[in-house]
Amino acid sequence: MKGKILVTVQFGCLIILALATNWLTLPWWVYFLLTLSGFLAFWAMAVMRLGNFNVVPTPVEKGNLVSDGPYKVIRHPMYTSIFIFAFSILAGQFDYIKLFTSIALVAGLIVKMLYEETLLRNHHPGYEAYMAKTKRVIPFVW
């Protein structure tokens, strides 16, 4: 239940950001960052493969630990992609609705990420070692 609530918060915030954005007036560099965000998301999904992918933070029952592609450097490239998306929209077209929505999105994703890591540690015996070798969302930083 906790995972579904966190996913609802995540998608609700993303929908608000999308609806509150005037897509035709964004600066060019926002489109560049959005393309980067999309590329990272698709790369992560391609490496993860559909049978191993889950929107809710609960690990797939017969899923395996993925540590290739972007997962070689960061544990949560999908979250990184969402952070880039939100930052791009907020920085390119600032308003307080986007600011508060982005804060709620980031807070929700951090809670979801920490919850997911607890579940992954219990599900995958090698997850602790994987955590020691990688950062969460920002390569070489966090």
Side-chain angles (χ1 to χ4, degrees):
M1 181 61 131
K2 181 178 182 178
K4 290 180 182 179
I5 292 169
L6 292 168
V7 169
T8 301
V9 169
Q10 172 186 338
F11 281 99
C13 289
L14 289 171
I15 289 168
I16 291 169
L17 286 174
L19 292 175
T21 299
N22 183 346
W23 293 93
L24 299 177
T25 62
L26 290 170
W28 69 269
W29 55 268
V30 172
Y31 294 109
F32 173 78
L33 290 174
L34 292 173
T35 301
L36 178 68
S37 169
F39 173 77
L40 180 58
F42 284 114
W43 185 24
M45 285 189 288
V47 170
M48 179 66 72
R49 296 182 198 82
L50 284 178
N52 211 29
F53 182 75
N54 199 358
V55 176
V56 293
T58 309
V60 175
E61 185 63 38
K62 294 183 180 180
N64 39 330
L65 182 59
V66 176
S67 58
D68 296 335
Y71 295 94
K72 190 177 280 189
V73 182
I74 52 176
R75 296 191 297 273
H76 303 284
M78 294 298 295
Y79 295 134
T80 302
S81 173
I82 294 169
F83 290 151
I84 294 169
F85 173 87
F87 170 78
S88 303
I89 297 297
L90 178 63
Q93 208 172 71
F94 181 86
D95 65 45
Y96 288 104
I97 291 172
K98 290 186 192 82
L99 175 64
F100 294 126
T101 303
S102 295
I103 290 169
L105 176 63
V106 168
L109 286 176
I110 289 171
V111 170
K112 183 181 172 196
M113 192 182 332
L114 296 173
Y115 176 60
E116 183 175 8
E117 286 189 338
T118 300
L119 297 175
L120 288 168
R121 274 196 301 269
N122 294 332
H123 188 76
H124 295 290
Y127 199 77
E128 289 280 345
Y130 173 65
M131 288 176 74
K133 294 187 300 187
T134 57
K135 297 296 183 182
R136 277 193 176 104
V137 292
I138 304 171
F140 315 109
V141 178
W142 180 66

